[in-house]
Amino acid sequence: MASPQIILYTNPNCPWAQRAHIALKELGLPYEEVFIDVEKPREDWHLAINPKGQVPTLSYDGTIITESGIVAQFLADAHPVTETGTGTVSKAGLLLPLNSLDGAIQRARIAYFVDACVSKVYPVLVGIIMNGESHNTSTERLVDVIEKDIEPLLALTSDEGRERFFGGSESLTLAEVLVGPFLLWIFTLVKTEYGVLSGDLVSALQIRAPRFESWGARVVAHESVRHVLDEEWVGKSLKGRWEGAVAKRKSKVEE
Ligand SMILES: N[C@@H](CCC(=O)N[C@@H](CS)C(=O)NCC(=O)O)C(=O)O
């Protein structure tokens, strides 16, 4: 297959857009990047390809695909793992072969996992930042939700001492592509220079959600995920929002 012409309309600091960047890097697909300033009104040409005016928007040989989860799934579907006659994987891919029952089960598990992360953990994380929650409260809330809703789903990420990705995969799956940007938030915000989340979060996770902690650390260290992180931008901008909310809470209490 000739290399497709791929254009990604993006803002690299947007976690949803980062999903597309991670998928493209992991699949080894070259692409052109068009920067969209989401703080400014969208231009007509952008609204014509994506009426929501959002990033990411993907143009794949001229076909427009929007919504980050759909963009990443599309890229994985369009570039599946292919096996050689000897059963070895011949090129990068994010899913098991499309037509196998194992592949279908793996995709269902990934979809369930990503939904749990986005519907249970993400709102807690955003709430902590937007409401300026204290370290004690935020550690408790995050560890509670991760221990209850995510940890049980990561049973196969470590296998006889071998460290794996979702479902026991040796390489990144769509689960890591779709959740990676939010893991980068967590593992950046615990750093002392940002301090939005308590440094104790990591040790609490090691005790109550050890699979999540070691899997998350492995994911954020992976080149395909890590390359999207402008740590200073993410750390400083989320810290600024959190500190603003902390100050607002304090002034309300003092009133
Ligand atoms: N559900 C969308 C969310 C994308 C999104 O919210 N992108 C933000 C930037 S992080 C955006 O484009 N905001 C501009 C706007 O909504 O006008 C997806 O997953 O692609």
Side-chain angles (χ1 to χ4, degrees):
M1 187 168 78
S3 244
Q5 202 215 0
I6 300 177
I7 305 171
L8 184 64
Y9 300 89
T10 182
N11 186 308
N13 288 324
C14 165
W16 308 105
Q18 287 171 348
R19 289 171 148 188
H21 288 271
I22 296 169
L24 287 162
K25 171 104 173 157
E26 184 61 10
L27 291 168
L29 295 169
Y31 62 102
E32 181 190 335
E33 207 175 300
V34 175
F35 177 83
I36 304 293
D37 186 346
V38 290
E39 304 297 326
K40 292 190 179 153
R42 267 1 72 75
E43 292 180 37
D44 288 347
W45 65 263
H46 187 226
L47 293 172
I49 57 170
N50 181 347
K52 288 186 194 166
Q54 293 187 324
V55 294
T57 298
L58 182 84
S59 169
Y60 187 97
D61 277 341
T63 298
I64 299 296
I65 314 275
T66 61
E67 283 297 319
S68 60
I70 298 170
V71 166
Q73 177 77 61
F74 164 79
L75 289 168
D77 286 344
H79 298 272
V81 171
T82 52
E83 293 193 7
T84 64
T86 57
T88 52
V89 171
S90 67
K91 70 172 190 180
L94 291 166
L95 294 175
L96 296 179
L98 289 181
N99 294 328
S100 73
L101 178 59
D102 278 353
I105 292 171
Q106 177 80 331
R107 284 196 295 286
R109 294 215 165 112
I110 289 173
Y112 185 88
F113 176 76
V114 173
D115 179 69
C117 291
V118 173
S119 66
K120 310 269 187 192
V121 183
Y122 178 64
V124 172
L125 191 55
V126 170
I128 289 166
I129 297 163
M130 296 318 230
N131 301 325
E133 281 180 16
S134 72
H135 281 177
N136 281 348
T137 315
S138 62
T139 300
E140 198 55 29
R141 290 191 62 207
L142 267 177
V143 177
D144 276 354
V145 69
I146 291 170
E147 180 184 29
K148 176 172 169 288
D149 293 307
I150 309 300
E151 183 72 358
L153 307 178
L154 288 170
L156 298 175
T157 50
S158 175
D159 173 23
E160 292 170 357
R162 280 174 301 175
E163 299 194 319
R164 305 274 187 170
F165 293 103
F166 188 82
S169 171
E170 287 180 20
S171 53
L172 287 195
T173 71
L174 203 55
E176 284 83 18
V177 170
L178 297 179
V179 175
F182 305 105
L183 293 172
L184 287 169
W185 279 19
I186 294 177
F187 283 81
T188 299
L189 297 179
V190 293
K191 292 193 175 179
T192 40
E193 57 268 47
Y194 307 116
V196 173
L197 299 172
S198 164
D200 293 344
L201 176 69
V202 174
S203 41
L205 286 171
Q206 280 165 349
I207 295 165
R208 289 176 47 197
R211 290 181 204 130
F212 177 87
E213 195 282 328
S214 66
W215 168 78
R218 207 150 53 243
V219 175
V220 299
H222 192 291
E223 175 55 17
S224 295
V225 177
R226 199 168 48 88
H227 90 287
V228 302
L229 179 66
D230 178 344
E231 183 180 306
E232 206 180 321
W233 189 91
V234 168
K236 282 191 177 161
S237 80
L238 297 179
K239 181 182 181 184
R241 286 192 203 183
W242 178 74
E243 285 178 338
V246 170
K248 221 180 199 175
R249 272 157 67 103
K250 269 196 188 147
S251 69
K252 265 195 187 153
V253 171
E254 284 161 10
E255 269 171 20

